[in-house]
Amino acid sequence: SNYPLMLLHDLVTQAKVPVSCNQIEVHAYYTRESLVKYCLSRNICVTAHTPLGGGAANKEAWNTACPLDDDIVKKVAESHKKSPAQVLLRWLLQRSIVVLPKSVKVQRIKENLDVLDFQLTEEEMKQISALDKYVSYKTNPNPLASFLGGPDAFTPEGTDIFD
């Protein structure tokens, strides 16, 4: 759980028992594209904790932006007559990511289960993916800023190998 790409690769190449799952923070504001692709290409299940970006709890405690409040997510939700949470969960499911939404409210638990009767278009998937802010709201701070444009960067923009 919470294995970044570099450590996961070490584990995959050295483990005697195949790696079967990596539970990570992943949501519309932290898409972790490289890590997700790495896992899925090796038949490693990706399980998303914090699939809604921390929701209201993070918004209130840390004053962070919340994907549930994003105008693009709201627009997509309206077009499907679904809630923003349902759209965000569906977006992850269509990326072949298992979701673990947390709620103690019965209505929200029911709503979170009601995500299989619609499908996001390719354009909607791209729009939501483009919301990536590359910011973790739950796990350790990302050291990416230390490597931007530096000798360890794979691209001028940096890399998510520490993701």
Side-chain angles (χ1 to χ4, degrees):
S1 163
N2 289 312
Y3 263 71
L5 186 52
M6 288 178 62
L7 291 179
L8 183 63
H9 182 70
D10 285 348
L11 181 63
V12 166
T13 58
Q14 297 176 36
K16 293 183 193 252
V17 176
V19 178
S20 62
C21 187
N22 192 17
Q23 182 178 334
I24 58 172
E25 176 185 1
V26 59
H27 47 76
Y29 284 179
Y30 195 38
T31 63
R32 307 184 83 174
E33 193 68 28
S34 293
L35 179 56
V36 169
K37 284 182 177 179
Y38 180 91
C39 289
L40 296 178
S41 72
R42 287 157 178 79
N43 294 317
I44 299 170
C45 170
V46 177
T47 303
H49 71 67
T50 322
L52 303 177
N58 274 8
K59 183 177 166 185
E60 293 165 13
W62 308 108
N63 195 29
T64 58
C66 180
L68 291 166
D69 297 330
D70 194 280
D71 288 339
I72 290 172
V73 174
K74 287 179 178 180
K75 182 180 174 189
V76 172
E78 285 176 23
S79 73
H80 289 279
K81 295 180 175 53
K82 294 291 184 178
S83 72
Q86 289 171 309
V87 166
L88 292 170
L89 294 174
R90 183 67 203 184
W91 172 76
L92 287 165
L93 291 172
Q94 282 184 223
R95 292 178 65 206
S96 300
I97 298 171
V98 176
V99 295
L100 295 175
K102 177 205 167 282
S103 185
V104 295
K105 298 182 179 177
V106 173
Q107 181 55 37
R108 284 198 185 137
I109 294 170
K110 288 179 182 177
E111 182 181 291
N112 290 342
L113 290 171
D114 187 26
V115 295
L116 301 176
D117 62 342
F118 74 105
Q119 190 157 4
L120 300 175
T121 66
E122 187 175 328
E123 181 60 29
E124 291 167 333
M125 291 293 291
K126 287 179 184 176
Q127 288 175 337
I128 296 170
S129 293
L131 298 175
D132 189 11
K133 297 179 185 307
Y134 201 67
V135 174
S136 168
Y137 293 150
K138 289 285 187 184
T139 54
N140 295 328
N142 193 302
L144 178 65
S146 302
F147 297 94
L148 290 176
D152 294 332
F154 290 156
T155 67
E157 295 81 30
T159 179
D160 57 358
I161 59 172
F162 298 102
D163 195 0

